[in-house]
PDB file of all heavy atoms in Angstrom:
ATOM      1  N   ILE N 184      -0.719  23.051 -14.164  1.00 96.00           N
ATOM      2  CA  ILE N 184      -1.833  22.200 -14.396  1.00 96.00           C
ATOM      3  C   ILE N 184      -2.768  22.245 -13.226  1.00 96.00           C
ATOM      4  O   ILE N 184      -4.014  22.091 -13.432  1.00 96.00           O
ATOM      5  CB  ILE N 184      -1.389  20.819 -14.754  1.00 96.00           C
ATOM      6  CG1 ILE N 184      -2.599  19.975 -15.275  1.00 96.00           C
ATOM      7  CG2 ILE N 184      -0.673  20.091 -13.624  1.00 96.00           C
ATOM      8  CD1 ILE N 184      -3.183  20.456 -16.545  1.00 96.00           C
ATOM      9  N   MET N 187      -5.304  25.360 -13.431  1.00 97.00           N
ATOM     10  CA  MET N 187      -5.945  25.565 -14.774  1.00 97.00           C
ATOM     11  C   MET N 187      -7.057  26.624 -14.735  1.00 97.00           C
ATOM     12  O   MET N 187      -7.298  27.343 -15.679  1.00 97.00           O
ATOM     13  CB  MET N 187      -6.507  24.203 -15.211  1.00 97.00           C
ATOM     14  CG  MET N 187      -7.198  24.311 -16.598  1.00 97.00           C
ATOM     15  SD  MET N 187      -6.033  24.685 -17.877  1.00 97.00           S
ATOM     16  CE  MET N 187      -5.407  23.025 -18.268  1.00 97.00           C
ATOM     17  N   GLU N 191      -7.533  29.539 -17.416  1.00 97.00           N
ATOM     18  CA  GLU N 191      -8.718  29.874 -18.192  1.00 97.00           C
ATOM     19  C   GLU N 191      -9.111  31.345 -17.936  1.00 97.00           C
ATOM     20  O   GLU N 191      -9.501  32.039 -18.852  1.00 97.00           O
ATOM     21  CB  GLU N 191      -9.799  28.958 -17.738  1.00 97.00           C
ATOM     22  CG  GLU N 191      -9.612  27.566 -18.103  1.00 97.00           C
ATOM     23  CD  GLU N 191     -10.727  26.612 -17.533  1.00 97.00           C
ATOM     24  OE1 GLU N 191     -11.353  26.942 -16.494  1.00 97.00           O
ATOM     25  OE2 GLU N 191     -10.955  25.508 -18.099  1.00 97.00           O
ATOM     26  N   ILE N 220      -4.031  15.365 -24.387  1.00 98.00           N
ATOM     27  CA  ILE N 220      -5.383  15.823 -24.241  1.00 98.00           C
ATOM     28  C   ILE N 220      -5.707  17.059 -25.005  1.00 98.00           C
ATOM     29  O   ILE N 220      -4.971  18.055 -24.904  1.00 98.00           O
ATOM     30  CB  ILE N 220      -5.717  16.066 -22.738  1.00 98.00           C
ATOM     31  CG1 ILE N 220      -5.349  14.827 -21.933  1.00 98.00           C
ATOM     32  CG2 ILE N 220      -7.158  16.505 -22.506  1.00 98.00           C
ATOM     33  CD1 ILE N 220      -5.246  15.118 -20.447  1.00 98.00           C
ATOM     34  N   ASP N 226     -13.584  23.571 -22.456  1.00 98.00           N
ATOM     35  CA  ASP N 226     -13.729  22.214 -21.863  1.00 98.00           C
ATOM     36  C   ASP N 226     -12.385  21.590 -21.485  1.00 98.00           C
ATOM     37  O   ASP N 226     -12.376  20.453 -20.988  1.00 98.00           O
ATOM     38  CB  ASP N 226     -14.510  21.293 -22.775  1.00 98.00           C
ATOM     39  CG  ASP N 226     -13.707  21.015 -24.103  1.00 98.00           C
ATOM     40  OD1 ASP N 226     -12.559  21.359 -24.252  1.00 98.00           O
ATOM     41  OD2 ASP N 226     -14.422  20.463 -25.002  1.00 98.00           O
ATOM     42  N   ILE N 227     -11.251  22.266 -21.639  1.00 98.00           N
ATOM     43  CA  ILE N 227      -9.944  21.543 -21.414  1.00 98.00           C
ATOM     44  C   ILE N 227      -9.783  21.133 -19.948  1.00 98.00           C
ATOM     45  O   ILE N 227      -9.227  20.075 -19.660  1.00 98.00           O
ATOM     46  CB  ILE N 227      -8.781  22.421 -21.883  1.00 98.00           C
ATOM     47  CG1 ILE N 227      -7.510  21.575 -21.908  1.00 98.00           C
ATOM     48  CG2 ILE N 227      -8.688  23.702 -21.057  1.00 98.00           C
ATOM     49  CD1 ILE N 227      -7.460  20.471 -22.857  1.00 98.00           C
ATOM     50  N   LYS N 228     -10.271  21.951 -19.070  1.00 97.00           N
ATOM     51  CA  LYS N 228     -10.155  21.602 -17.591  1.00 97.00           C
ATOM     52  C   LYS N 228     -10.889  20.307 -17.341  1.00 97.00           C
ATOM     53  O   LYS N 228     -10.368  19.403 -16.611  1.00 97.00           O
ATOM     54  CB  LYS N 228     -10.686  22.771 -16.729  1.00 97.00           C
ATOM     55  CG  LYS N 228     -10.530  22.482 -15.275  1.00 97.00           C
ATOM     56  CD  LYS N 228     -10.990  23.692 -14.416  1.00 97.00           C
ATOM     57  CE  LYS N 228     -10.986  23.423 -12.922  1.00 97.00           C
ATOM     58  NZ  LYS N 228     -11.415  24.564 -12.131  1.00 97.00           N
ATOM     59  N   ALA N 229     -12.133  20.255 -17.778  1.00 97.00           N
ATOM     60  CA  ALA N 229     -12.919  19.026 -17.556  1.00 97.00           C
ATOM     61  C   ALA N 229     -12.269  17.781 -18.239  1.00 97.00           C
ATOM     62  O   ALA N 229     -12.318  16.711 -17.662  1.00 97.00           O
ATOM     63  CB  ALA N 229     -14.339  19.223 -18.128  1.00 97.00           C
ATOM     64  N   ARG N 230     -11.664  17.931 -19.390  1.00 98.00           N
ATOM     65  CA  ARG N 230     -11.056  16.880 -20.106  1.00 98.00           C
ATOM     66  C   ARG N 230      -9.836  16.349 -19.292  1.00 98.00           C
ATOM     67  O   ARG N 230      -9.562  15.131 -19.209  1.00 98.00           O
ATOM     68  CB  ARG N 230     -10.643  17.234 -21.474  1.00 98.00           C
ATOM     69  CG  ARG N 230     -11.860  17.414 -22.430  1.00 98.00           C
ATOM     70  CD  ARG N 230     -11.414  17.854 -23.827  1.00 98.00           C
ATOM     71  NE  ARG N 230     -12.548  18.018 -24.714  1.00 98.00           N
ATOM     72  CZ  ARG N 230     -13.024  17.042 -25.542  1.00 98.00           C
ATOM     73  NH1 ARG N 230     -12.404  15.848 -25.507  1.00 98.00           N
ATOM     74  NH2 ARG N 230     -14.035  17.285 -26.319  1.00 98.00           N
ATOM     75  N   CYS N 231      -9.108  17.296 -18.713  1.00 97.00           N
ATOM     76  CA  CYS N 231      -7.935  16.917 -17.888  1.00 97.00           C
ATOM     77  C   CYS N 231      -8.376  16.189 -16.646  1.00 97.00           C
ATOM     78  O   CYS N 231      -7.717  15.154 -16.253  1.00 97.00           O
ATOM     79  CB  CYS N 231      -7.095  18.132 -17.590  1.00 97.00           C
ATOM     80  SG  CYS N 231      -6.211  18.886 -18.904  1.00 97.00           S
ATOM     81  N   ARG N 232      -9.400  16.645 -16.038  1.00 97.00           N
ATOM     82  CA  ARG N 232      -9.901  16.022 -14.810  1.00 97.00           C
ATOM     83  C   ARG N 232     -10.323  14.587 -15.181  1.00 97.00           C
ATOM     84  O   ARG N 232     -10.101  13.636 -14.451  1.00 97.00           O
ATOM     85  CB  ARG N 232     -11.079  16.810 -14.266  1.00 97.00           C
ATOM     86  CG  ARG N 232     -11.549  16.253 -12.911  1.00 97.00           C
ATOM     87  CD  ARG N 232     -12.726  16.949 -12.394  1.00 97.00           C
ATOM     88  NE  ARG N 232     -12.480  18.452 -12.200  1.00 97.00           N
ATOM     89  CZ  ARG N 232     -13.091  19.438 -12.885  1.00 97.00           C
ATOM     90  NH1 ARG N 232     -13.979  19.142 -13.835  1.00 97.00           N
ATOM     91  NH2 ARG N 232     -12.817  20.661 -12.615  1.00 97.00           N
ATOM     92  N   ALA N 233     -11.028  14.430 -16.323  1.00 97.00           N
ATOM     93  CA  ALA N 233     -11.482  13.080 -16.704  1.00 97.00           C
ATOM     94  C   ALA N 233     -10.375  12.116 -16.985  1.00 97.00           C
ATOM     95  O   ALA N 233     -10.494  10.884 -16.778  1.00 97.00           O
ATOM     96  CB  ALA N 233     -12.447  13.182 -17.923  1.00 97.00           C
ATOM     97  N   ALA N 234      -9.276  12.699 -17.462  1.00 97.00           N
ATOM     98  CA  ALA N 234      -8.124  11.937 -17.767  1.00 97.00           C
ATOM     99  C   ALA N 234      -7.177  11.587 -16.595  1.00 97.00           C
ATOM    100  O   ALA N 234      -6.227  10.887 -16.682  1.00 97.00           O
ATOM    101  CB  ALA N 234      -7.289  12.545 -18.894  1.00 97.00           C
ATOM    102  N   GLY N 235      -7.516  12.225 -15.460  1.00 97.00           N
ATOM    103  CA  GLY N 235      -6.781  12.098 -14.307  1.00 97.00           C
ATOM    104  C   GLY N 235      -5.404  12.799 -14.335  1.00 97.00           C
ATOM    105  O   GLY N 235      -4.451  12.330 -13.607  1.00 97.00           O
ATOM    106  N   VAL N 236      -5.310  13.841 -15.050  1.00 96.00           N
ATOM    107  CA  VAL N 236      -4.054  14.586 -15.203  1.00 96.00           C
ATOM    108  C   VAL N 236      -4.057  15.745 -14.243  1.00 96.00           C
ATOM    109  O   VAL N 236      -4.857  16.721 -14.384  1.00 96.00           O
ATOM    110  CB  VAL N 236      -3.841  15.074 -16.670  1.00 96.00           C
ATOM    111  CG1 VAL N 236      -2.622  15.985 -16.759  1.00 96.00           C
ATOM    112  CG2 VAL N 236      -3.695  13.869 -17.584  1.00 96.00           C
ATOM    113  N   ALA N 237      -3.140  15.732 -13.275  1.00 93.00           N
ATOM    114  CA  ALA N 237      -3.075  16.783 -12.254  1.00 93.00           C
ATOM    115  C   ALA N 237      -1.648  17.101 -11.939  1.00 93.00           C
ATOM    116  O   ALA N 237      -1.399  17.825 -10.924  1.00 93.00           O
ATOM    117  CB  ALA N 237      -3.759  16.363 -10.987  1.00 93.00           C
TER     118      ALA N 237
END
Side-chain angles (χ1 to χ4, degrees):
I184 191 64
M187 183 64 87
E191 292 176 336
I220 303 161
D226 65 11
I227 191 65
K228 182 178 178 180
R230 289 177 180 269
C231 289
R232 187 184 300 116
V236 172

